[in-house]
Amino acid sequence: AALRMSRLRCVAVALCLVANVMAGKYSREMNEAKADGGDGPTAEFRIAKLNQVWEKAKRMELSPVRQAELHSDLKIQEKDELQWKKMKVEGLDENGEKEAQLRRNFNVILAKYGMDGKRDTRTLENNSLKDHDIKEGDIFDDPRLDKLWNKAKSSGKFSSEELLSLKREFQHHKDKIHEYNILMDTVSRTEEIHKNVISPLEGEAKEHVLHQKHTDLKQKMRDLNQGFDRLRKLSHEGFTEDSEFREPRVIELWEAAKRANLSTDELDSLKEELHHFETKVEKHSHYQEQLELSHQKLQHVEALGDKEHIKRNQEKYNTLAEKTREMGYKMKKHLQDLSNKISRQGLEHNEL
């Protein structure tokens, strides 16, 4: 009897330990999501403001592809913010440079998806400033791009497949102009706030942060100019036989790498990595197309009203949406890593 009581006590203690461990794990998960204001362990992100943006986005009428893009942008923001929290604990980022950059990135995401409370008139404002009549064939919201595109299209130098590649490059440049305008907008709004700062103690740190922002802007402007020069050269001379890459983002990284004063070995190694990255970009584009098609099919099935059919298509659509978000995140993280690698290696060489 004594032995049985002893065993029961051991079992009871073991059960208590398991319960405590589980409770600790559960409350940690709850805190992780809730410490930052999430709504329990099912929260999509570990940071409250990102969950709020995501919940708001789901109520907006974003296209499936755009919603997936926002999700991967928020995932990148989450990764960067969690990394920064570790840096802060280790006493790094004393001047608040990284923190300001993160805040700006977040504001750029809000503006990019029309969630900053402003009607997006950036491209419209740009056009109305340039005495530019909208003509048929103007598809890039920018007079210089439209003029160059129409000229290339009617030159007879390009096959229909090459024209599609060229159009992708033009579209990529248009997106970059839009991103630059959003960043410019965010910076100038910060400057307006900066002018109203009363506390003189904050002045110097804020000044430093603004200089950092202008460096960003200058770099983006330099990228835009280099990108436009490349488009002009392409439009006049056509594609060369030995074009290494097809995807605009990859071509841009390769051009930056060639300018970065790298050794032949480093360039060869990078070229190989860029080929892997290009596969990732193409795979992501494929998923985006499939997601769009799946959404159209789901809408069609919903209109017919067969519950079982709707359920099956909804499940397919949800799986594709999740896969597209995941691919988008991996692709953007790889892009971030490659950009950092190229600029870091370039700096090391210039310092030698």
Side-chain angles (χ1 to χ4, degrees):
L3 188 63
R4 197 162 64 246
M5 283 297 287
S6 164
R7 276 188 188 149
L8 281 170
R9 254 202 308 274
C10 285
V11 169
V13 168
L15 283 172
C16 280
L17 281 170
V18 169
N20 283 339
V21 167
M22 292 303 285
K25 184 177 184 293
Y26 178 71
S27 62
R28 188 170 71 249
E29 282 175 0
M30 288 289 279
N31 287 339
E32 212 150 62
K34 281 191 171 174
D36 280 323
D39 45 9
T42 53
E44 192 75 24
F45 299 96
R46 287 162 62 187
I47 295 169
K49 64 181 180 187
L50 304 184
N51 276 319
Q52 287 161 0
V53 169
W54 180 241
E55 289 307 317
K56 184 181 174 183
K58 287 195 289 188
R59 294 191 296 272
M60 289 166 70
E61 288 194 4
L62 292 176
S63 74
V65 168
R66 207 151 156 65
Q67 196 184 65
E69 276 294 276
L70 168 63
H71 191 279
S72 49
D73 279 345
L74 290 174
K75 269 288 177 205
I76 291 283
Q77 182 74 13
E78 177 183 56
K79 171 187 72 74
D80 291 346
E81 293 217 9
L82 292 173
Q83 272 176 357
W84 170 75
K85 280 183 179 178
K86 280 184 191 163
M87 278 174 68
K88 208 178 168 193
V89 168
E90 288 161 17
L92 302 166
D93 194 37
E94 279 179 25
N95 55 15
E97 204 171 284
K98 183 71 180 162
E99 184 181 10
Q101 189 183 18
L102 285 170
R103 197 180 306 123
R104 185 173 72 251
N105 290 352
F106 180 66
N107 288 331
V108 164
I109 290 173
L110 294 181
K112 184 175 166 187
Y113 295 94
M115 299 170 86
D116 59 347
K118 285 185 68 175
R119 210 164 55 84
D120 196 359
T121 53
R122 273 171 285 261
T123 45
L124 297 175
E125 281 164 10
N126 272 9
N127 278 344
S128 59
L129 293 175
K130 297 171 184 157
D131 182 25
H132 173 58
D133 299 324
I134 303 292
K135 296 191 266 311
E136 200 184 333
D138 288 355
I139 54 174
F140 297 108
D141 294 329
D142 181 280
R144 286 201 312 168
L145 280 184
D146 284 325
K147 192 177 173 186
L148 199 57
W149 168 249
N150 288 324
K151 208 170 170 183
K153 206 168 60 165
S154 56
S155 70
K157 280 182 196 150
F158 300 94
S159 67
S160 53
E161 199 177 317
E162 284 175 333
L163 267 180
L164 273 176
S165 297
L166 189 64
K167 191 175 183 179
R168 276 218 307 269
E169 299 243 9
F170 272 77
Q171 184 59 49
H172 176 64
H173 194 79
K174 175 191 167 178
D175 294 342
K176 280 176 62 188
I177 292 171
H178 188 58
E179 276 171 30
Y180 174 81
N181 289 335
I182 286 173
L183 182 60
M184 191 68 186
D185 208 36
T186 309
V187 168
S188 52
R189 267 189 284 169
T190 314
E191 292 222 351
E192 281 157 26
I193 295 162
H194 175 60
K195 281 173 193 161
N196 299 326
V197 169
I198 300 161
S199 162
L201 294 171
E202 287 187 277
E204 203 174 316
K206 281 189 182 283
E207 200 71 47
H208 181 82
V209 160
L210 285 173
H211 286 167
Q212 166 63 22
K213 284 178 184 169
H214 287 306
T215 310
D216 261 20
L217 275 172
K218 269 184 242 169
Q219 183 56 48
K220 277 211 182 301
M221 185 44 104
R222 202 176 299 128
D223 287 350
L224 277 178
N225 289 335
Q226 282 163 347
F228 187 75
D229 287 346
R230 191 177 169 281
L231 280 181
R232 192 164 42 202
K233 189 167 183 277
L234 254 184
S235 303
H236 291 149
E237 297 171 16
F239 288 94
T240 54
E241 286 301 310
D242 59 345
S243 295
E244 279 290 343
F245 303 100
R246 297 173 301 279
E247 285 292 333
R249 268 171 290 202
V250 187
I251 293 166
E252 201 171 55
L253 286 168
W254 180 236
E255 295 290 326
K258 286 193 290 188
R259 287 193 300 269
N261 200 11
L262 305 181
S263 70
T264 314
D265 283 353
E266 282 171 330
L267 271 177
D268 285 344
S269 153
L270 197 65
K271 188 191 286 185
E272 201 175 317
E273 200 178 338
L274 284 172
H275 278 296
H276 289 305
F277 176 60
E278 186 166 59
T279 306
K280 214 174 268 185
V281 173
E282 287 169 345
K283 202 171 171 187
H284 178 234
S285 298
H286 172 72
Y287 271 105
Q288 286 181 318
E289 284 164 21
Q290 292 305 308
L291 182 64
E292 192 52 60
L293 289 171
S294 174
H295 184 246
Q296 286 168 13
K297 191 174 179 190
L298 180 62
Q299 284 179 316
H300 175 67
V301 168
E302 279 172 344
L304 298 174
D306 177 347
K307 281 193 170 64
E308 193 51 48
H309 210 168
I310 290 171
K311 186 170 179 278
R312 262 204 317 275
N313 278 277
Q314 184 69 57
E315 280 167 5
K316 271 185 196 168
Y317 171 74
N318 290 347
T319 306
L320 254 177
E322 198 164 319
K323 196 75 184 153
T324 310
R325 289 175 205 163
E326 201 182 299
M327 280 300 307
Y329 170 71
K330 284 179 181 168
M331 191 266 292
K332 284 173 185 178
K333 185 182 181 301
H334 200 169
L335 174 64
Q336 212 180 36
D337 293 344
L338 281 165
S339 304
N340 291 339
K341 190 175 183 177
I342 291 166
S343 54
R344 193 171 59 244
Q345 284 183 335
L347 274 174
E348 282 166 9
H349 279 273
N350 290 336
E351 281 165 8
L352 292 175

